Amino acid sequence: MNYLGIDLGGTNIKGGVVNEAGEILREASRPTHVEQGPDAIADGIAALIRELEQGERFAGVGLGCPGTVDDEAGEVLCAFNLGLIHYNLRDAVRDRTGYELRIGNDANVAALAEAKFGVGRGAHSVVVITLGTGVGCGVVLEGKMLVGYTGAASELGHMVIAEDGAPCTCGRKGCFEAYSSATALIRMTKEAMDAHPESALHEIARENGGVDGRTAFDAKLRGDAAGTEVVRNYVKYLACGVTNVINIFFPEIIAFSGGVAKQGEALLEPLREEVDRQEFGHKYVKKRTRLAECTLGYRSGVIGAALLANQN
Amino acid sequence: MNYLGIDLGGTNIKGGVVNEAGEILREASRPTHVEQGPDAIADGIAALIRELEQGERFAGVGLGCPGTVDDEAGEVLCAFNLGLIHYNLRDAVRDRTGYELRIGNDANVAALAEAKFGVGRGAHSVVVITLGTGVGCGVVLEGKMLVGYTGAASELGHMVIAEDGAPCTCGRKGCFEAYSSATALIRMTKEAMDAHPESALHEIARENGGVDGRTAFDAKLRGDAAGTEVVRNYVKYLACGVTNVINIFFPEIIAFSGGVAKQGEALLEPLREEVDRQEFGHKYVKKRTRLAECTLGYRSGVIGAALLANQN
C-alpha cells in the first residue's frame, strides 16, 4: 500500500509517493501560485496527484501546510502566506480527485516522520524544533501527533520565556521564537557587530555576502570574542526553551532541524552543557532526554504527510 | 470492581475505596510518620490497606505522592518531604499486602480524576493547575496522563516565563511557579504593603491574622488601589503561563485548584480577559479553551490514585 504525501509551501507544492517503510518511491513538485487564489492552489494539488498517480490508486493522501488546520473539518483555518483563510481543502481536493485529504500542520507532520522513520525511530516520544525564520515545533507522544482540542497545539515557539521581552510576530513579547529563530540569531549578530567594529563578524559577513545564521558560529571558530558571546547568548535562550520542553514533556528525544541546526555539534554541544545546568532537580531520574539532529531533511514534510494519511 | 486509591502526603496517608463510577465508598486516614523512615511509611500504607479491605479484595491499588516517581519500576525516585529517595514502594507494599501498587505523581493523578469524574468529564483534554505553596500541574490528553519518557513530565510550574527573573525553589529563575503560586502572591502583597502604608491591605492582614492568598483580593473588593494592582499584576503573570499552556497543549479545559483558586470568578474573570488579550493569533480557530475551577476538591487525590490502578 502506498500513500501520497504533499508538502504545501508558499513557493512549491512537493509530492512524494511513500510506501509503508517510509521510503519515497517517486516525487514531483510544481509552483504554488498563491497569487491566483485558493482554488488555483487546489488545482495545483490535484494536478500533482494526477502526475504522481501513474495508474496507481493511493491508499490515502495527506498534506502538511503552514499555519493552523482543522483536520476533522478538512479545513485550513489560516495560512497567511498561502492566502488561505477558512478554506476547506478537503472538499476542494475531493471534488477534483475523489481523494479524502488528511491535513496537518507542516511542523507537526514533519515531527511525525522523524518520530517514525527518522531520528526518533523506536523512541517513546519526540519533540522536533525547527530553528528557521521562526521556531516551528511538532510533538509526537507514543506515536501520536499532539494537535490538541483545536488542531492548533504544539506551538512551542510561542511559549513566552522572557515576559515583556523581545517582540514576536504573534503579537506577544518574549516568545521562544523571538530568541531562538535564525531571525533572532541574525538580530543578535548584527547588534554585536554594531557594538564591536573590531570583530571578525564584519569580515565573515563580507565574505558570505551578508549576515546569516552561520556568521556568529564561524566567528566563534576563529576565536572571535564578540562572535563567541553571540553564540553563548543564543544558546542560553535556546537552552531555556529546551529545558522548559523537558520539564513539560520529558520526551525521549528533542531533535533540531532548520538553518541553525546545520551547525550540528557546534550547536548541540554547548546546548547540552547549558541544559544540564538549567535542568530542574532531575538528578534522581535515571533516564535523560537526548538532544540530536533530525535525519530526514526536506523529506520529513512529504513522508509525514503520507503518514498522516496512514493514521485512523 | 472496587479500587483502592491512596493519597500519600507529608502529614497524612489518606485512603478511599472507589468504585467504577468514581464514587468513594469508604475512606480512612492515618499519620505518615516520615520521621521513622521509608519502611514505616510502607507499614502505614499496608495498615491502611488492611483497615479498608474489610474482607474485600481490591481489583487494584494506586497511590499518588509528591515528587518524582517511576511507575514502571514501582519506585519513588525522590519525594524530599517524605524522605523517600530511590525507594521501591511497589516491592515494599507487595511484601506487606500482596498488592501490585501503581504509583503516580499526586498532581498528575488528581488531574486524571478531574478529567474523568470532575470538571473535565467528557472533555477531549484537561490541564489542572494547582495554585498552592507551589504550582502543581497535571496534563490528561484524551484520557491519558502525560508522564513522559521518565515519569517526570507535566512540570509546567517549572516552565520559565521570565528569563533571569524571580528565583524558584528548583534552582532556575523566572519559573511560572515563582510568579503564580500562593507563595508568590503573598510575596507580591507584602511588597505592595511596604510601598503603600496607606493601603487597606494592612488592615485586612491584621483582621485575618496575617497576609495570605486572599488579602489582595479582599482589598480589591474594598476598592483599594494597591490591592487592585497586586491582583492585576498576579493575573498578568498567571495569564502568561496559561497562554503558554494553550499554545502548547490547546486543551479543552484548563482547571484550577489550590488556595488561590478558591477566589473563583474573582480570579477567573480577569484571567479570561488577560488570556484573550495574550492569546496568539487564534481568531481563526473556532474552538476555545475553557478556564474553570476543579470540582472534586481533596477527593481528586484518592479518586485519581484509584483510577491509576484501573489503567493498563
Side-chain angles (χ1 to χ4, degrees), chain B residues 176-188:
Chain B
F176 185 32
E177 169 164 313
Y179 291 94
S180 298
S181 60
T183 313
L185 175 56
I186 290 167
R187 182 187 76 228
M188 292 174 193

Side-chain angles (χ1 to χ4, degrees), chain A residues 160-183:
Chain A
V160 163
I161 61 168
E163 206 272 334
D164 212 23
C168 184
T169 52
C170 78
R172 297 180 86 190
K173 285 180 178 177
C175 286
F176 184 31
E177 167 165 313
Y179 291 93
S180 298
S181 60
T183 313

Side-chain angles (χ1 to χ4, degrees), chain A residues 6-144:
Chain A
I6 299 170
D7 186 359
L8 175 58
T11 311
N12 291 301
I13 311 171
K14 280 175 264 180
V17 181
V18 180
N19 67 13
E20 299 267 3
E23 294 156 341
I24 298 178
L25 305 179
R26 53 187 187 275
E27 46 190 331
S29 173
R30 50 179 58 225
T32 309
H33 292 311
V34 172
E35 73 290 350
Q36 294 174 25
D39 288 340
I41 292 177
D43 289 341
I45 293 168
L48 189 70
I49 292 174
R50 279 190 297 269
E51 178 182 347
L52 284 164
E53 255 186 335
Q54 302 179 7
E56 180 180 353
R57 185 79 191 160
F58 302 122
V61 180
L63 177 142
C65 88
T68 310
V69 302
D70 181 346
D71 187 32
E72 219 175 284
E75 200 175 325
V76 179
L77 299 177
C78 66
F80 293 118
N81 66 344
L82 296 171
L84 300 179
I85 307 286
H86 284 311
Y87 184 73
N88 199 307
L89 198 54
R90 181 176 301 146
D91 287 349
V93 169
R94 185 196 304 111
D95 290 349
R96 286 163 173 80
T97 68
Y99 285 109
E100 289 291 326
L101 197 67
R102 293 291 306 271
I103 306 178
N105 168 273
D106 54 359
N108 290 354
V109 303
L112 192 62
E114 289 288 350
K116 182 117 189 205
F117 295 116
V119 62
R121 196 189 276 258
H124 170 275
S125 42
V126 181
V127 175
V128 170
I129 301 179
T130 303
L131 306 169
T133 310
V135 171
C137 289
V139 178
V140 181
L141 307 172
E142 298 179 65
K144 211 165 146 39

